[in-house]
Amino acid sequence: MGGEQTIVYIISGAEQRSSLEFYKKMIQKATLTIACDAGIKIFKKLNLPPNYLIGDFDSASIQDLQWAKNNGTEILSYSKEKDEIDTELALIFLKETSHKNVVLSGVLGNRIDQEIASIFLLAEYIDLNPVILEEDVKIGIVDKRVEEEAQIGESWSILRIGEPVIGLTLKGFKYPLNKKDIFDFKSLGISNEAIENKIEISVEGGMVVYIRWINKKW
């Protein structure tokens, strides 16, 4: 995420992982903000109403919903009998309205099924250039090539997601790769380490997910 890049910022309803200061900074940086269901509670704590509130509202409190309504947030309500999690409803909305550069918070909680689903959504909606971001972790998908800033010594993991990966190249890491094909789901790629302040990940075919533990070494 470059300093000048405009972003759409979504906060979903998992428990608060980062500081309020982090969320405030991200909200203020965004050109469009969306709360998914109980994610509205973060916006309310900061008294910064989002542009949209999306979900089936099975977890947002009545008080938080009323606060959003009173402060001009547009509310998009869906049936509880739906196939998509609330985060995906927001991504569908953004795809239909031709937005890009989506940053997601509040999707990493204590439900591993929802966490995995959220990572799969990054791949499904890759055209939106989405990432998951909290103070301590950034998760994204590579289907061609990305350059990312890094802190020397921090841990990164790069894993296949979906189809076999052809020609995976890693630069700026303690354990670099050059056009490595990955046809299995073994743990190659766990706990690599950045050795430069900018890393590069590229693939010739397939997709990988990267997990950056920001300024943290495991």
Side-chain angles (χ1 to χ4, degrees):
M1 281 165 43
E4 300 305 311
Q5 185 187 71
T6 60
I7 64 165
V8 175
Y9 189 48
I10 299 172
I11 302 180
S12 289
E15 70 260 24
Q16 183 178 327
R17 185 183 182 106
S18 303
S19 67
L20 285 175
E21 192 55 40
F22 169 83
Y23 296 124
K24 181 179 180 181
K25 180 180 167 189
M26 294 302 299
I27 290 166
Q28 291 176 335
K29 182 178 178 179
T31 54
L32 185 75
T33 53
I34 298 175
C36 291
D37 211 322
I40 190 64
K41 64 183 179 288
I42 300 291
F43 290 91
K44 185 168 181 277
K45 283 181 184 178
L46 292 165
N47 198 29
L48 293 170
N51 299 111
Y52 294 93
L53 172 55
I54 293 175
D56 58 15
F57 308 128
D58 60 349
S59 53
S61 74
I62 292 169
Q63 293 86 351
D64 289 352
L65 284 170
Q66 192 60 51
W67 172 83
K69 197 175 292 186
N70 292 346
N71 283 278
T73 294
E74 188 168 340
I75 296 174
L76 305 179
S77 182
Y78 294 81
S79 166
K80 292 179 175 59
E81 301 298 321
K82 60 181 174 26
D83 295 328
E84 303 86 2
I85 61 174
D86 293 324
T87 303
E88 184 169 9
L89 295 174
L91 294 173
I92 292 168
F93 169 74
L94 291 171
K95 190 167 186 175
E96 289 172 347
T97 51
S98 301
H99 285 88
K100 284 187 182 290
N101 301 326
V102 178
V103 180
L104 294 153
S105 294
V107 297
L108 304 175
N110 56 9
R111 280 192 56 181
I112 192 169
D113 52 349
Q114 295 237 6
E115 291 180 340
I116 292 171
S118 296
I119 291 170
F120 285 167
L121 288 176
L122 298 182
E124 179 66 23
Y125 293 89
I126 196 165
D127 290 349
L128 300 178
N129 190 28
V131 296
I132 294 169
L133 185 65
E134 298 282 355
E135 269 179 320
D136 64 331
V137 66
K138 181 176 184 180
I139 303 172
I141 301 288
V142 182
D143 70 340
K144 293 182 182 68
R145 175 182 170 277
V146 301
E147 276 190 349
E148 285 282 335
E149 294 187 2
Q151 297 289 327
I152 292 171
E154 70 187 1
S155 292
W156 288 65
S157 292
I158 299 96
L159 299 166
R160 168 187 165 187
I161 182 169
E163 297 297 318
V165 172
I166 307 301
L168 172 62
T169 297
L170 304 178
K171 297 180 181 178
F173 291 99
K174 184 176 181 179
Y175 306 107
L177 289 176
N178 184 37
K179 298 191 175 182
K180 170 79 173 174
D181 296 340
I182 303 174
F183 294 103
D184 55 39
F185 285 100
K186 292 180 181 174
S187 57
L188 173 74
I190 288 285
S191 294
N192 210 331
E193 184 180 318
I195 58 170
E196 297 178 16
N197 288 123
K198 187 162 281 188
I199 59 88
E200 182 182 318
I201 305 168
S202 62
V203 294
E204 294 173 359
M207 289 189 286
V208 294
V209 57
Y210 66 82
I211 298 99
R212 176 194 176 191
W213 294 101
I214 299 168
N215 207 19
K216 184 184 290 187
K217 183 173 181 176
W218 292 110

